[in-house]
């Protein structure tokens, strides 16, 4: 695994290797949040394509939420102040992402509608990468996440 000093480029590189958007973000922070690469990849695997290709919340943003949970999450059901702080941080990150990109929904960001029953992942060809905004969205999610973690 290469240096974590430029996580944005690292996460984009993971996407270009074939990992989904959520996996790419979480994997870039795996060591820092105490997860093995395998655990990070498995944990984030269901959230590509806007959550299982449902085109809901962007996978890159979902990955950023997961990292925040690991870094600043609460564990007690009675931790009302911590829960409020956590939710506020998530809402701030989502709003920053929305301001930058116009939406937090995969279908709005990549321009594809949900097709019921279509779980087939897109073929990862050069044309696929050239037509996708995902690498830029991954970079945005990581940069915004790093700002919120400071």
């Amino acid at each position: 695994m290469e240096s974590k000093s430029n996580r944005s480029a690292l996460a984009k590189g993971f996407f270009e290797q074939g990992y989904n958007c959520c996996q790419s973000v979480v994997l870039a922070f795996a060591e820092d949040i105490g997860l093995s690469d395998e655990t990070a990849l498995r944990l984030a695997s269901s959230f590509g394509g806007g959550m299982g290709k449902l085109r809901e919340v962007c996978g890159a943003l979902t990955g950023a939420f997961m990292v925040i949970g690991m870094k600043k999450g609460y564990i007690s059901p009675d931790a009302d102040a911590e829960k409020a702080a956590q939710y506020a941080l998530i809402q701030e990150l989502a709003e920053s992402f929305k301001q930058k990109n116009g939406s937090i929904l995969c279908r709005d960001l990549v321009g594809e509608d949900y097709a019921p029953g279509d779980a087939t992942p897109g073929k990862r060809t050069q044309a696929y990468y050239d037509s996708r905004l995902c690498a830029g969205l991954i970079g945005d999610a990581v940069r915004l996440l790093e700002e919120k973690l400071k």
Side-chain angles (χ1 to χ4, degrees):
M1 191 70 47
E2 62 185 82
S3 167
K4 305 291 192 219
S5 62
N6 188 349
R7 284 197 177 99
S8 180
L10 186 63
K12 288 186 211 180
F14 291 140
F15 177 73
E16 291 167 0
Q17 290 175 38
Y19 295 107
N20 73 40
C21 298
C22 187
Q23 286 176 312
S24 298
V25 172
V26 176
L27 186 57
F29 287 85
E31 182 180 328
D32 197 43
I33 59 176
L35 297 178
S36 69
D37 289 355
E38 181 179 342
T39 298
L41 290 167
R42 287 181 185 276
L43 177 66
S45 65
S46 297
F47 300 96
M51 301 189 175
K53 204 177 174 189
L54 293 170
R55 302 293 184 228
E56 294 296 335
V57 175
C58 170
L61 188 58
T62 300
F65 293 166
M66 289 178 171
V67 171
I68 285 177
M70 290 298 291
K71 296 281 281 178
K72 297 184 175 273
Y74 61 91
I75 58 172
S76 171
D78 299 323
D80 293 338
E82 292 87 350
K83 187 183 291 189
Q86 175 80 5
Y87 290 175
L89 186 57
I90 294 299
Q91 290 174 15
E92 289 171 17
L93 178 57
E95 184 59 29
S96 295
F97 188 89
K98 184 177 181 180
Q99 289 297 316
K100 179 138 183 63
N101 296 294
S103 181
I104 67 169
L105 299 179
C106 179
R107 68 177 155 267
D108 295 340
L109 296 164
V110 301
E112 293 181 26
D113 291 327
Y114 165 61
D118 179 14
T120 307
K123 292 290 181 201
R124 295 291 183 97
T125 63
Q126 190 58 48
Y128 173 92
Y129 289 113
D130 291 346
S131 70
R132 299 299 259 200
L133 303 173
C134 298
L137 297 169
I138 289 165
D140 290 343
V142 170
R143 283 188 295 277
L144 292 168
L145 171 60
E146 289 180 318
E147 288 173 18
K148 296 297 178 193
L149 291 176
K150 287 183 181 175

